[in-house]
Amino acid sequence: MKENYCLQAALVCLGMLCHSQAFAPERRGHLRPSFHGHHEKGKEGQVLQRSKRGWVWNQFFVIEEYTGPDPVLVGRLHSDIDSGDGNIKYILSGEGAGTIFVIDDKSGNIHATKTLDREERAQYTLMAQAVDRDTNRPLEPPSEFIVKVQDINDNPPEFLHETYHANVPERSNVGTSVIQVTASDADDPTYGNSAKLVYSILEGQPYFSVEAQTGIIRTALPNMDREAKEEYHVVIQAKDMGGHMGGLSGTTKVTITLTDVNDNPPKFPQSVYQMSVSEAAVPGEEVGRVKAKDPDIGENGLVTYNIVDGDGMESFEITTDYETQEGVIKLKKPVDFETKRAYSLKVEAANVHIDPKFISNGPFKDTVTVKIAVEDADEPPMFLAPSYIHEVQENAAAGTVVGRVHAKDPDAANSPIRYSIDRHTDLDRFFTINPEDGFIKTTKPLDREETAWLNITVFAAEIHNRHQEAKVPVAIRVLDVNDNAPKFAAPYEGFICESDQTKPLSNQPIVTISADDKDDTANGPRFIFSLPPEIIHNPNFTVRDNRDNTAGVYARRGGFSRQKQDLYLLPIVISDGGIPPMSSTNTLTVKVCGCDVNGALLSCNAEAYILNAGLSTGALIAILACIVILLVIVVLFVTLRRQKKEPLIVFEEEDVRENIITYDDEGGGEEDTEAFDIATLQNPDGINGFIPRKDIKPEYQYMPRPGLRPAPNSVDVDDFINTRIQEADNDPTAPPYDSIQIYGYEGRGSVAGSLSSLESATTDSDLDYDYLQNWGPRFKKLADLYGSKDTFDDDS
């Protein structure tokens, strides 16, 4: 700081000295103040004289950042017309006049009242004028001048960025350009060395250097290794004044990262890997992993693995796990401890991408030996074949040997094996197996026509360890035996037209027949068709074998008539070509039908021949349909009638029944509940009628004896009741009415009127009860009570 202040003071003094020398010639060169100049022509020939300026100047200088106690003298204005008596007044105007720059109006001295900064403003333009102090009349025209701010070195260099980041490949040659840093200085580059910058490196040697004039950073050491050191911090300085003593400086930090190149081959950390695998492992199972280390990163560090040699190349394989950069060894084929107990592999690790610039560093690959031991495991039994196919003839007796399956224990212990059949595959239990030797036998005869192939599964398990089990499919083919006779392929039926004896026979067959045989083709076709020997000379029909497993049935004669015989049954013998051959007799039905002149069938029914020719088949169908509809209606009507609930006894009106009390004395009353049926008494219309039960069909009609029936006009009620009781007791179709306590028929009333005495005491009655005297001794009490009313009234 002291050096800067001293430098500024020296510059201020130097500037003032220069200014005084610059003004002196001006003052010496000032012309005498006068407003009489050369002559000019005016109006009316008047000659005008051009005035001359009495003072002239170009520019002033003032040093920036001056911090002295007094205002800085910028310069002095003076006119030749100024005689020093104080009559002239100097006026200053323009940029900064009155604020930054002030003028002494008498002496013309100009001072700077504030500290100026060239970087803020480099110059000011001002106007000066001399006027009469009293009248303010301009004595000279205004004149323009410039005040320049003289630069000093007061601004240090500044970099465009506080920090920089750059990358450079590792192993780069010396002088490789990394990055260029740039600084700027706010001082005047045209004045002195205040803005002349020089770059230097403060930190980062000896790895990097910087060009002093351009700021370009370059590598300074060869073969810098990223794997040794990846990042460097460099400090760059920019100094003005050309880097000389007293100059100002600025710094910036540059972070330089070495980028990776493939300059390192992969390397296994050990020379031999030991692994093991169980003989029970399945193909694809992982055995182990190897890893070659490569210090490079990114694609330069990618490694791929391969098996290049060894006796296990057929049994093992290796893949690359690119996430972990490991080689994964997997089982390719099953291994057997009893066959081979150890394998050796030679595994190679190589870079995927190789940089030709560093190929001289050596092969970018490495190899390692992998030894794999096979571990013993308790394995399940193994069948000697993956599947078995056996054959057996159909209809073979139970216990027939079908074939044998064989399995063994692959372990060194060679445990005994037991065999069994999976019953889920032999639900009908057609087969059985010997658990010790594996022989399969039938348990019942087989039918090829029902099932030609049978598939079962046989298990083999170790006796000492049932969990160690294996299975094998066994297919059993049932061989055909000629045990099925051929039969008609379809239910054939032939038709032949009625014809005259003189009409020639047709060469067309009545019907063509074929046969079907359930046996195999070796025991089936070819088929032979013929008539039975006993009717080989059948007068009506014959059979011709077409020798293509078909035959035609032909008529031997003409003149068939439906009136004589409308149906013929023709037996046909069919033989197959099996050994021994099988045959069967099948019956062919041949109908005699009516035909038109062209031979087309009209009708094959014998009844149709007798019916009226005018009655068509459609009419017959319509008649039958009507009959069926009527029968259905009748059946429905009868069904509905049966479902309807009806009373057991048919009455014309509702039958209301009540208890009839027999009064043998006056005190009987309601306690005597012996009841009798007097329905006829309650319903006079049914006296001579007979009431049957609807739910019982009587075996004979009961007719009451004439001698027991009372006279219609009889008034002997006792006889009437006894008669009815006797009829009911002797009637087998009548229910036991004497036990029924409720009567559904009340009747239409009695000629005797009401017998109740409930209203006798309060109501006068005009009825005549004298007839009660004629009803017998049972009504004597009533006759005494009611029949002597007149006498009682008279006595009263």
Side-chain angles (χ1 to χ4, degrees):
M1 294 296 293
K2 286 184 177 182
E3 292 180 356
N4 291 338
Y5 288 139
C6 294
L7 180 60
Q8 291 179 5
L11 290 175
V12 170
C13 296
L14 180 61
M16 294 178 64
L17 178 61
C18 292
H19 291 166
S20 62
Q21 291 178 355
F23 292 141
E26 263 189 33
R27 288 194 296 269
R28 288 194 301 267
H30 283 180
L31 298 177
R32 196 171 46 201
S34 172
F35 291 96
H36 303 284
H38 63 276
H39 299 280
E40 294 182 1
K41 289 185 178 181
K43 297 179 180 180
E44 298 178 357
Q46 181 180 0
V47 178
L48 299 177
Q49 189 174 16
R50 184 178 179 184
S51 61
K52 285 202 270 184
R53 296 181 57 181
W55 43 276
V56 177
W57 61 89
N58 290 328
Q59 61 185 8
F60 295 116
F61 294 90
V62 61
I63 297 177
E64 68 170 337
E65 304 294 346
Y66 175 72
T67 57
D70 299 326
V72 178
L73 177 62
V74 178
R76 181 180 181 186
L77 299 180
H78 184 73
S79 178
D80 290 343
I81 63 175
D82 184 4
S83 59
D85 53 5
N87 292 328
I88 295 178
K89 180 180 180 182
Y90 294 98
I91 299 174
L92 185 65
S93 63
E95 298 174 346
T99 56
I100 300 176
F101 303 101
V102 295
I103 189 171
D104 187 347
D105 59 355
K106 292 181 179 180
S107 63
N109 293 333
I110 301 174
H111 292 82
T113 61
K114 295 182 178 180
T115 301
L116 303 180
D117 187 0
R118 189 201 68 84
E119 286 72 36
E120 183 179 347
R121 187 159 189 169
Q123 64 182 21
Y124 299 86
T125 302
L126 299 172
M127 299 288 292
Q129 191 174 21
V131 300
D132 186 272
R133 185 177 295 275
D134 297 330
T135 62
N136 286 330
R137 181 176 61 83
L139 300 180
E140 285 195 14
S143 182
E144 181 181 278
F145 66 95
I146 296 173
V147 177
K148 286 189 174 184
V149 182
Q150 188 71 39
D151 181 53
I152 64 173
N153 190 18
D154 60 342
N155 291 282
E158 292 183 357
F159 285 92
L160 298 181
H161 304 285
E162 293 183 2
T163 58
Y164 289 84
H165 296 274
N167 298 322
V168 64
E170 64 173 334
R171 306 288 183 182
S172 296
N173 297 326
V174 176
T176 300
S177 176
V178 180
I179 191 175
Q180 182 178 12
V181 295
T182 304
S184 62
D185 196 323
D187 292 327
D188 189 1
T190 63
Y191 182 77
N193 294 327
S194 299
K196 186 177 181 180
L197 304 181
V198 174
Y199 298 94
S200 61
I201 183 169
L202 300 182
E203 295 180 12
Q205 299 95 340
Y207 307 104
F208 299 95
S209 63
V210 63
E211 291 183 358
Q213 305 301 325
T214 61
I216 297 176
I217 301 174
R218 300 181 182 273
T219 59
L221 286 180
N223 298 325
M224 285 191 293
D225 190 4
R226 184 199 66 82
E227 289 74 31
K229 186 176 182 180
E230 183 177 6
E231 191 173 81
Y232 296 86
H233 298 282
V234 179
V235 178
I236 302 298
Q237 181 190 65
K239 191 174 184 179
D240 59 12
M241 298 300 293
H244 296 296
M245 184 75 69
L248 303 179
S249 63
T251 59
T252 186
K253 292 182 179 180
V254 182
T255 301
I256 301 175
T257 302
L258 297 182
T259 58
D260 185 63
V261 297
N262 191 12
D263 58 340
N264 294 281
K267 188 71 175 176
F268 284 104
Q270 59 194 65
S271 59
V272 178
Y273 284 87
Q274 297 286 346
M275 299 180 183
S276 62
V277 61
S278 173
E279 64 173 342
V282 296
E285 186 171 334
E286 182 178 328
V287 178
R289 294 188 175 216
V290 296
K291 183 175 183 179
K293 295 183 179 180
D294 191 334
D296 297 323
I297 60 175
E299 66 176 13
N300 297 320
L302 294 180
V303 179
T304 181
Y305 297 88
N306 293 289
I307 299 176
V308 296
D309 197 5
D311 58 0
M313 294 182 65
E314 297 296 329
S315 300
F316 300 92
E317 62 183 355
I318 189 169
T319 59
T320 302
D321 186 346
Y322 288 101
E323 292 185 0
T324 61
Q325 290 298 300
E326 293 177 319
V328 183
I329 299 176
K330 297 181 180 180
L331 185 64
K332 185 177 180 182
K333 295 171 59 177
V335 292
D336 186 11
F337 174 81
E338 289 74 23
T339 304
K340 189 175 180 61
R341 301 188 178 186
Y343 293 88
S344 179
L345 301 175
K346 187 175 182 180
V347 177
E348 178 185 79
N351 279 137
V352 177
H353 303 282
I354 298 177
D355 193 340
K357 297 179 181 179
F358 306 99
I359 195 68
S360 60
N361 290 3
F364 285 79
K365 61 180 67 176
D366 193 18
T367 58
V368 70
T369 300
V370 179
K371 294 184 178 181
I372 303 175
V374 180
E375 297 178 349
D376 188 22
D378 189 6
E379 301 175 81
M382 293 180 59
F383 283 94
L384 300 185
S387 63
Y388 292 87
I389 299 177
H390 298 306
E391 295 180 347
V392 63
Q393 286 190 343
E394 66 173 330
N395 301 327
T400 301
V401 176
V402 177
R404 183 188 182 189
V405 295
H406 186 64
K408 66 177 182 177
D409 184 10
D411 298 322
N414 194 16
S415 176
I417 305 298
R418 292 189 65 87
Y419 302 93
S420 62
I421 295 177
D422 183 2
R423 290 305 173 187
H424 293 91
T425 61
D426 186 23
L427 296 176
D428 295 325
R429 296 183 178 269
F430 287 122
F431 305 99
T432 183
I433 190 170
N434 190 313
E436 296 179 356
D437 56 18
F439 279 98
I440 302 174
K441 298 180 181 180
T442 61
T443 59
K444 62 183 72 175
L446 304 177
D447 187 2
R448 188 205 68 86
E449 287 71 38
E450 182 178 348
T451 305
W453 284 90
L454 295 169
N455 299 296
I456 62 174
T457 299
V458 176
F459 290 113
E462 296 180 8
I463 293 179
H464 303 298
N465 187 1
R466 289 288 184 177
H467 297 288
Q468 294 298 335
E469 185 180 65
K471 62 181 179 179
V472 67
V474 179
I476 300 173
R477 180 184 179 185
V478 182
L479 300 178
D480 184 50
V481 174
N482 192 19
D483 58 346
N484 290 278
K487 296 180 180 180
F488 275 158
Y492 294 106
E493 190 175 27
F495 303 93
I496 188 170
C497 295
E498 287 184 301
S499 62
D500 297 332
Q501 290 286 352
T502 58
K503 188 174 181 179
L505 293 175
S506 174
N507 290 327
Q508 296 295 327
I510 298 174
V511 63
T512 300
I513 59 176
S514 62
D516 186 16
D517 195 333
K518 294 182 179 180
D519 292 323
D520 197 2
T521 55
N523 293 316
R526 100 166 176 82
F527 298 120
I528 300 173
F529 301 88
S530 64
L531 293 176
E534 61 271 14
I535 59 168
I536 190 68
H537 301 293
N538 188 296
N540 297 319
F541 305 99
T542 186
V543 176
R544 297 177 188 176
D545 196 332
N546 297 328
R547 298 184 180 276
D548 60 353
N549 295 326
T550 64
V553 179
Y554 296 85
R556 284 180 177 269
R557 64 178 180 84
F560 289 94
S561 174
R562 283 183 291 175
Q563 291 181 337
K564 294 182 178 179
Q565 185 175 351
D566 61 344
L567 184 67
Y568 293 87
L569 300 178
L570 181 64
I572 298 176
V573 178
I574 307 175
S575 301
D576 59 20
I579 300 175
M582 297 286 292
S583 64
S584 66
T585 301
N586 301 265
T587 302
L588 175 66
T589 301
V590 180
K591 293 182 178 181
V592 180
C593 302
C595 304
D596 58 12
V597 294
N598 297 321
L601 296 178
L602 293 178
S603 175
C604 296
N605 297 324
E607 305 87 273
Y609 184 78
I610 303 172
L611 291 175
N612 187 4
L615 192 59
S616 63
T617 304
L620 292 175
I621 294 174
I623 293 172
L624 292 175
C626 293
I627 294 173
V628 171
I629 292 173
L630 290 175
L631 290 175
V632 171
I633 294 174
V634 170
V635 170
L636 290 176
F637 179 79
V638 171
T639 303
L640 293 176
R641 291 279 296 175
R642 288 183 177 179
Q643 292 178 353
K644 183 177 179 183
K645 293 183 179 179
E646 298 180 356
L648 298 178
I649 306 301
V650 180
F651 296 98
E652 292 182 359
E653 296 181 14
E654 185 179 4
D655 186 15
V656 179
R657 304 177 186 275
E658 62 186 8
N659 291 336
I660 303 300
I661 307 301
T662 301
Y663 296 94
D664 293 333
D665 53 28
E666 296 183 2
E670 295 181 356
E671 295 179 357
D672 189 355
T673 58
E674 183 179 356
F676 298 93
D677 182 14
I678 56 172
T680 306
L681 181 62
Q682 293 177 337
N683 185 9
D685 295 338
I687 291 178
N688 298 322
F690 176 71
I691 305 174
R693 285 192 58 174
K694 294 177 61 178
D695 59 341
I696 298 178
K697 184 176 181 181
E699 297 180 0
Y700 58 91
Q701 184 72 29
Y702 171 75
M703 297 297 294
R705 289 175 295 176
L708 297 178
R709 182 179 301 276
N713 297 325
S714 175
V715 295
D716 190 352
V717 178
D718 186 46
D719 292 340
F720 175 80
I721 292 175
N722 292 329
T723 301
R724 287 305 181 192
I725 292 174
Q726 186 177 5
E727 290 178 355
D729 291 340
N730 295 324
D731 188 0
T733 63
Y737 288 111
D738 54 342
S739 65
I740 298 177
Q741 304 299 318
I742 297 174
Y743 300 92
Y745 181 74
E746 186 177 357
R748 296 179 297 177
S750 174
V751 295
S754 175
L755 300 179
S756 175
S757 60
L758 295 178
E759 300 177 357
S760 301
T762 57
T763 306
D764 293 335
S765 177
D766 297 332
L767 295 178
D768 185 7
Y769 297 102
D770 292 338
Y771 59 87
L772 294 176
Q773 300 291 338
N774 299 324
W775 280 22
R778 296 195 180 201
F779 296 91
K780 185 176 182 303
K781 296 294 183 181
L782 291 176
D784 293 338
L785 291 174
Y786 295 94
S788 59
K789 181 179 180 181
D790 296 336
T791 306
F792 178 78
D793 291 339
D794 294 338
D795 295 336
S796 61

